[in-house]
Amino acid sequence: MAPSVRDGRVGNLPAEANAFVGRQTELAALSGLLRDCRLVTLTGPAGVGKSRLALRAAHAERGLFPAGVWLVELSELKNPDLLTNAVAQATRLVEQTLRPLLEAVCEHLAGGPVLLVLDTCEHVLDECARVVQELLANVPELHVLATSRQPLGVAGEHLMAVAPLPLGERDDAVALFAARAAAAVPSFELTDDNRAGVAAVCARLDGIPLALELAAVRLRGFPLHRLLEGLDSRFDLLVSPARPLLVRHQTLRTAIGWSHELCTPLERLLWARLSVFAGGWDVEAAEFVCHGGPVDAEEIMALLASLTDKSIVTREGEGAAVRYRMLDTVRSFGAEWLAALGEEGTVRRRHRDYYRWTARQGEAEWLGPGQRVWAERLTAEHANLRVALEECLASEDPESGLELAGSLWYFWFACGFAEEGRGYLERALCRASGTGPEYSLAVWAHRLVTVVPEDLEAAESVSAAYVWLAQERGLPVPALPLTGASLAVRGESARSALLYGPGSQGPGGGGGAEFYQLLALALQAYVMAGQGAFERCATVAEKLRADCAKRGELWMRAWGDFFVALSEIGLARPDEALHSVCEALSAKWRVHDRLGVAAVCDLLVVTQAARGDPVLAARLLGVGGRLWHTAGLPRLGAPEETVFRREYGRLLRAALGDAVFTQLVEEGHSLDEEAALRLALGEDPSDAKA
């Protein structure tokens, strides 16, 4: 997904699901704090509205941060070691770098006033403190707005305690309850006759927003006076003026508990089982993970609909993209219930097995017509994949961790999560013995996501690891040109031809074997282009395109388009090159390969310059600079050192003059990703969706 852009401002803030009610005093105070303080932490008990207040303030103060406002949701993060990865992913930094990731994040966020919103920090508090301290020290114009039940404890932190809503009949608690009640029951109106009853409900719930929202939904089945009676019967035993914080905690738990009591037994059981998911889930995942005993798989869709009606579960998206999720507090209640039922281990293993199966299916189908769907599906399931990986790595069977981390090689390598993949693969390899096909797959996957073309030794190790993997799987051993390609990118074209060796069709079979067969053709084209053998390069690239077309594959097909276009440029046919380079750009975007998008954009600079459009070429040079910066691995090395950027930057500057050239490059660099893509494809950048 591209960063959202509204009024020229970049970020990833989601649209607010419903109207924000009240908190005007807090919003005014936050407005001043975000101007004057670099770290502001909203503290308070669960359900008090910290996250919603932070989101509203971030929306309201976007104008202060032209370099971006980025939300990092941490509630689904189980492993604190992945916090920096979460920040990188939220801010659209593709993890294709071998330098320390936090260093890359600091560089990525530099360059202007920027706001980072870290939501739900309490369960990764120590790592949050460390990362925030490092970011603030190295990014001078960065501001951080955090939400947490506890302070981060970082020097310079300004704390703002978020209290429950005021309880008077004309105050925010009543207004919030009335707004949510009207959404649940359209006929509901706040009147002089029912205002006192609403205020009494709000008082019973201590003005805690989440409790108010859960209670408001109950009006679908209860009149107001019955709702108040039900609350009275449950709260009499809990109120203790001497312990106000405990009361608030008990209040929320009791509100959730009452929602639990109003569910049917099957709904309660499904609620408990759904708590193993992180982030969200689709119907297929729920059916596999949560069926069993009294819950039939065929009943789960109807039960999900019922839990959605009761506001226990929220539904997002339409059609095939429908997903469900639970608020963190509601999920925690379900997890406690699951443990009490004695089912936690069973359901967690079922969750693990479902995502192992998902990863294997994705590997088998990656080089096919469903590639874009798999890229989107696995990106959506990223949090659940992490949970499954942690479950595998904690199990007594080391092979399961090897299998899952290795099977996801295409996700780590092609979808921009190489740094995270390296970490999981290293952990899995440390636990296992050096034998077996799962170990070979993990070794190969680790070397694949670690390789940088300038590193000759690493390139050779990838080839060696794949030979080992092919032998383990009983496949023909291929001769692969990674060594030759590595030399070519370093400018040693003549030597690359000697080391390239004979061509190979590669092994048959699915998954990594087919990938390597296509990779061999792509690297052969790469080496030939480096030698200036453009006719031969085009022939190999056309074969690559044809082989990919048979499979309906996009990711590697785009590299075929890239090398066909590069060959046309080399043969002085830039008009013919334009179609292929645009096809490559569009395909790389559709499968979320931002590093590939950046590489293709560089070729588009050359294409448009050769076609006689230096103005567009200069703007695209700026676009490419931003894309490489976002990718974290500049042009498979350093962007200023590439032939494309160095030579065409010099030529375009000479053609346009320093002032015009600099202005056009800055214009391109200022565009967000979606607007930049539209510019590159010859469309109006202003049509990019907000």
Side-chain angles (χ1 to χ4, degrees), residues 74-290:
L74 301 175
S75 62
E76 63 192 41
L77 191 68
K78 309 301 180 186
N79 182 352
D81 293 338
L82 294 176
L83 191 141
T84 304
N85 300 74
V87 174
Q89 290 157 22
T91 58
R92 308 295 191 253
L93 173 63
V94 181
E95 302 167 35
Q96 298 280 5
T97 175
L98 295 182
R99 59 179 171 159
L101 184 59
L102 189 53
E103 177 186 319
V105 171
C106 289
E107 181 180 312
H108 178 56
L109 293 175
V114 60
L115 176 65
L116 198 63
V117 183
L118 299 177
D119 187 30
T120 317
C121 298
E122 59 269 4
H123 65 296
V124 286
L125 196 67
D126 291 342
E127 185 66 5
C128 271
R130 184 188 74 82
V131 169
V132 166
Q133 188 168 13
E134 188 78 14
L135 289 172
L136 291 174
N138 290 282
V139 188
E141 294 185 272
L142 172 68
H143 289 239
V144 176
L145 175 60
T147 74
S148 178
R149 297 181 196 178
Q150 300 172 254
L152 271 61
V154 174
E157 180 180 26
H158 189 101
L159 300 177
M160 180 175 172
V162 180
L165 296 171
L167 292 170
E169 289 188 12
R170 305 284 175 181
D171 282 328
D172 289 350
V174 169
L176 176 64
F177 183 91
R180 300 304 184 251
V185 183
S187 62
F188 178 87
E189 291 184 30
L190 184 64
T191 66
D192 290 341
D193 292 335
N194 65 16
R195 187 180 295 273
V198 170
V201 169
C202 294
R204 293 295 189 277
L205 295 172
D206 290 331
I208 296 176
L210 179 55
L212 295 175
E213 298 202 11
L214 289 171
V217 177
R218 301 276 72 79
L219 290 178
R220 288 176 178 160
F222 294 89
L224 184 63
H225 73 277
R226 289 284 306 281
L227 176 64
L228 183 56
E229 290 170 3
L231 289 172
D232 276 337
S233 67
R234 287 163 177 79
F235 277 83
D236 286 344
L237 299 176
L238 295 177
V239 176
S240 172
R243 304 179 70 188
L245 287 180
L246 179 58
V247 168
R248 290 174 188 168
H249 179 68
Q250 291 172 328
T251 298
L252 180 58
R253 285 187 59 80
T254 301
I256 296 174
W258 190 32
S259 294
H260 190 261
E261 289 177 30
L262 295 173
C263 291
T264 67
L266 291 185
E267 289 168 355
R268 294 177 201 166
L269 184 56
L270 181 60
W271 178 351
R273 291 175 177 176
L274 290 171
S275 68
V276 301
F277 288 101
W281 64 88
D282 59 20
V283 171
E284 180 186 85
E287 289 174 344
F288 184 96
V289 174
C290 299

Side-chain angles (χ1 to χ4, degrees), residues 534-535 538 564-565 567-578 607 610-611:
F534 293 115
E535 292 282 6
V564 167
S567 299
E568 297 286 6
I569 293 294
L571 296 169
R573 297 195 293 253
D575 289 337
E576 289 82 348
L578 183 60
T607 304
R611 294 180 70 243

